Amino acid sequence: MWFQAWKRNLVTVSGTEKAMQGVADTLREFWAHRPVRPRAGRKIGGVATGIAMRYQIDPVIVRIAFVALALSGGVGLPMYLAGWLLLPEEGDEVSPLEALINKGTSSMSQAQTVLLSFLMFPALAFTFGSGGFQVIVTLAATVACIYLLQKNRGHLAPAAVAEPAPVPPVAGAPAWDPLGAAPFAWDLPEPAAAPQPPAPRPRKPRVALATAGAAALVIAGSAIAWTWAPWFTVPHVIGLLIAVLAAGLLIGSFTGGARGLIWLLVPLSVAGFGMTAVGFEGPHNLGSLSDTPKSVADVKDRYRIGVGSVMLDLRQLPDSGSVKTAVEADLGELIVHVPKNADVTFNCEATSIGELNCFGKTAEGSVEQVSGTDFGDNGEGGLKIDLDVRTNVGEVKVLRD
């Protein structure tokens, strides 16, 4: 029995190694035959146009993908700069970055290459400083798309227009025959061929119509979800619609017939970015929030931030009365300090992934929650506090000190 189990495990490990080797080979093939940035038809650095020519897809689709990535936590900006530095220009031996380390020649000057390299630092700082977990997911999805492109369309090459070969002169024939009397110079018209009916135009797949139908289903499903999932908000719906439209554009780039979806994807991406960065509650949805109320009336019903940190200090409150408040964040650190003798009923939750430490009760991982009541050192009696501390991704602490 143990031998059969060992054999099965060996087969599984061998299959995994083969799969990983296949992925590595595909990525190496992508690097060996990477896109070339053309000199004509480019908008900025030719990265999007080069990718489109390499895999024979619509360049507008690639440009929209970079814009969407730029709106998804800023990922598109460092990726475009990386393509500018690592993809060779048409006619060059190597890429600008390779030329900088003396691996060949590039038409881009060293000063321009150094400037682009320096621009990568603020671009990466902005991306990873503001995007958090979303950036990692977006980067992983982008690498997966590059892998699939190379796997399925890596064998294609940009179509080249062949120049017509010159017709060689007939041996012994004069270079000029003013009368056209020589038989070999006669150029009699061929009899006209019978007119043929025009070939029917091939019907393009109705990708746009199918995508619009899927988007309508998302809207209908969202209306139902709102009745039983209060956390499901308008930004979630916009995110799902963007995903559906992006999938339709990706399919349409290979089959045709979906270019009109761009005019829906662009405004939705801008709206989604605005709601994510600013939110419905004003421009203070990013950064840090701190409050130290000194009376029960000073305690707000809700302390909310999108991305950042919240520090709520309740230790200045009186020894009697009752308060109820919620502290919430999408991504960040939440810290609440409570008085030593207060009776605290608490609920601490990380709805996606996080770390919890509430009155010594700890948890970490995905979808974690701890709750309970803590009466302090003097037992039950005194100020009563009802706390709901919740984040999607981040750290939650409720401390008695």
Side-chain angles (χ1 to χ4, degrees), residues 50-141:
I51 295 173
M53 290 177 61
R54 172 65 181 86
Y55 298 107
Q56 296 188 13
I57 56 180
D58 192 338
V60 177
I61 301 295
V62 184
R63 293 184 184 118
I64 290 296
F66 272 111
V67 172
L69 288 173
L71 296 175
S72 300
V75 178
L77 181 57
M79 290 195 65
Y80 194 91
L81 290 174
W84 203 339
L85 289 168
L86 296 174
L87 300 182
E89 192 171 7
E90 182 182 1
D92 291 350
E93 293 181 359
V94 294
S95 66
L97 200 59
E98 290 171 311
L100 191 63
I101 55 177
N102 297 322
K103 285 195 172 183
T105 60
S106 172
S107 58
M108 182 181 290
S109 68
Q110 290 188 348
Q112 289 176 307
T113 304
V114 171
L115 177 61
L116 287 178
S117 301
F118 275 119
L119 288 176
M120 284 290 290
F121 291 100
L124 289 172
F126 170 77
T127 298
F128 286 94
S130 62
F133 182 70
Q134 177 189 2
V135 172
I136 299 175
V137 174
T138 305
L139 284 174

Side-chain angles (χ1 to χ4, degrees), residues 1-15:
M1 295 290 293
W2 66 268
F3 177 76
Q4 293 178 349
W6 174 80
K7 189 175 181 181
R8 284 196 301 269
N9 291 335
L10 185 63
V11 171
T12 302
V13 171
S14 176

Side-chain angles (χ1 to χ4, degrees), residues 18-40:
K18 288 182 179 179
M20 295 300 294
Q21 184 64 37
V23 172
D25 290 342
T26 300
L27 293 177
R28 276 195 294 267
E29 184 181 356
F30 165 79
W31 179 255
H33 302 91
R34 57 194 147 151
V36 175
R37 297 181 292 112
R39 297 180 185 273

